[in-house]
Amino acid sequence: MDGEGETRRAWPGAALRGVTAPAAEESGGGPAADKRAVRPAGHRVGSGSTMSTGGPSHAAAAAQDARPDRAAIALAYQRFEPRAYLLNNYTPPRGDLSNPDGVGPWKLRCLAQTFATGEVSGRTLIDIGSGPTVYQLLSACAHFEDITMTDFLEVNRQELGLWLRGEPGCFDWSVYSRHVCLIEGKGESWQERENQLRAKVKRVLPIDVHQPQPLGAGSLAPLPADALVSTFCLEAVSPDFASFQRALDHITTLLRPGGHLLLIGALEESWYLAGEARLVVVPIREEEVRRALACSGYEVRDLRTYTMPARLRTGVDDVCGIFFAWAQKKVGA
């Protein structure tokens, strides 16, 4: 569910094999899913059975019990259809970038403006829960030399591999690439930007954001990273806010002190569709995003929100809005 229903990705497993980009290593480590970040083997997504069932009231306990656990979420993601998800969120109307008030232009503008500050740069960047999308890295690739993409689902890693290798039938991101080149105004062509991104992505790995070592032991990704990007992942693979918080804590271990996190996610969304899959999302609010970042040891540098207009509420999710957060990991955190 792209802020609309951005892809959820974030829970690969060590048993899943990574998709490699051209001239990149292959890995069996584990990633996420643009809303996919669950480990299938009996682990609960974020809370679920790992959470206490006690509560202030029977009603609250019943509501908690009604939420699926991590194992159930992981199982549901096995029905995730990348192309259906892409069609729902990255083709018109949500994928129409001609209207500056649309969700796509808003996300791309947030990313471009943040990278334009020059503060978010370095050698290594990890995209947490890439899902089947690449738009989130079109501005980033000019500022980093080594990019790692991740996802829980093998089908999403395969979809990424098609685009990274430029194979026939891969999803066409040229509308997004053109828009990024336009708003950045550097005079480069969209083909140059896409080639640059392909060259900078060195590996596509599995990930499980619900594990203390999300990429597993002995990860091929250089750690700690100088920056993290994550779009529509953590809230889409967590059964409750406590699980969301722990997942954020886990991915923060991959980031160096002083490094930057760019986080995009859904506000007050409880479900989204990806083909036959109807996937649950933990509804979160802006103030909860701020609190979670503070608890994980970040200084919030910027936090913006977008309200989903009625014309973009197309029935593929119940998202109310999107947030963009730029946060910097405190030294000593």
Side-chain angles (χ1 to χ4, degrees), residues 33-277:
D34 196 356
K35 273 196 173 179
R36 342 103 176 116
V38 194
R39 189 183 188 98
H43 295 276
R44 300 151 114 262
V45 151
S47 83
S49 61
T50 62
M51 299 293 295
S52 167
T53 56
S57 69
H58 292 298
Q64 176 175 301
D65 289 343
R67 298 290 298 175
D69 65 10
R70 289 187 356 206
I73 293 178
L75 182 61
Y77 268 97
Q78 300 311 308
R79 303 177 67 191
F80 184 93
E81 299 178 30
R83 286 303 174 100
Y85 173 80
L86 292 170
L87 290 174
N88 288 347
N89 296 293
Y90 298 96
T91 62
R94 287 185 175 179
D96 178 8
L97 305 187
S98 63
N99 187 336
D101 295 327
V103 64
W106 184 83
K107 290 185 298 179
L108 295 176
R109 190 162 56 246
C110 288
L111 291 165
Q113 290 174 348
T114 302
F115 283 111
T117 66
E119 294 190 57
V120 185
S121 63
R123 192 179 74 84
T124 60
L125 178 146
I126 300 175
D127 183 25
I128 304 293
S130 307
T133 69
V134 304
Y135 75 91
Q136 66 274 17
L137 298 174
L138 288 168
S139 288
C141 67
H143 302 271
F144 294 88
E145 297 303 314
D146 184 309
I147 296 176
T148 299
M149 300 187 78
T150 68
D151 200 272
F152 173 68
L153 295 178
E154 185 174 9
V155 290
N156 284 332
R157 301 198 302 273
Q158 290 173 343
E159 186 71 36
L160 293 174
L162 292 177
W163 187 87
L164 290 168
R165 295 187 296 270
E167 294 188 6
C170 67
F171 189 79
D172 182 7
W173 289 102
S174 63
V175 173
Y176 285 78
S177 305
R178 291 174 191 271
H179 191 82
V180 168
C181 290
L182 177 65
I183 63 177
E184 289 186 355
K186 297 178 180 178
E188 64 183 311
S189 70
W190 67 270
Q191 295 96 331
E192 290 174 317
R193 180 56 61 92
E194 290 196 350
N195 288 337
Q196 182 181 42
L197 177 54
R198 288 185 171 105
K200 296 292 184 68
V201 175
K202 306 301 182 183
R203 62 198 67 80
V204 178
L205 304 177
I207 191 171
D208 185 343
V209 299
H210 298 298
Q211 298 302 311
Q213 292 182 299
L215 294 174
S219 168
L220 294 179
L223 296 175
D226 294 313
L228 303 178
V229 170
S230 186
T231 56
F232 306 98
C233 172
L234 303 186
E235 73 280 6
V237 300
S238 300
D240 53 35
F241 182 76
S243 188
F244 175 92
Q245 180 73 72
R246 286 195 297 272
L248 180 60
D249 290 343
H250 293 160
I251 68 169
T252 299
T253 65
L254 305 175
L255 181 64
R256 69 168 175 81
H260 298 267
L261 166 67
L262 302 186
L263 188 66
I264 296 178
L267 290 173
E268 299 183 69
E269 179 186 39
S270 66
W271 61 270
Y272 76 99
L273 301 177
E276 294 185 2

Side-chain angles (χ1 to χ4, degrees), residues 268-289:
E268 299 183 69
E269 179 186 39
S270 66
W271 61 270
Y272 76 99
L273 301 177
E276 294 185 2
R278 188 178 191 277
L279 302 153
V280 298
V281 182
V282 58
I284 57 175
R285 300 183 299 276
E286 177 184 354
E287 57 269 28
E288 291 176 312
V289 175

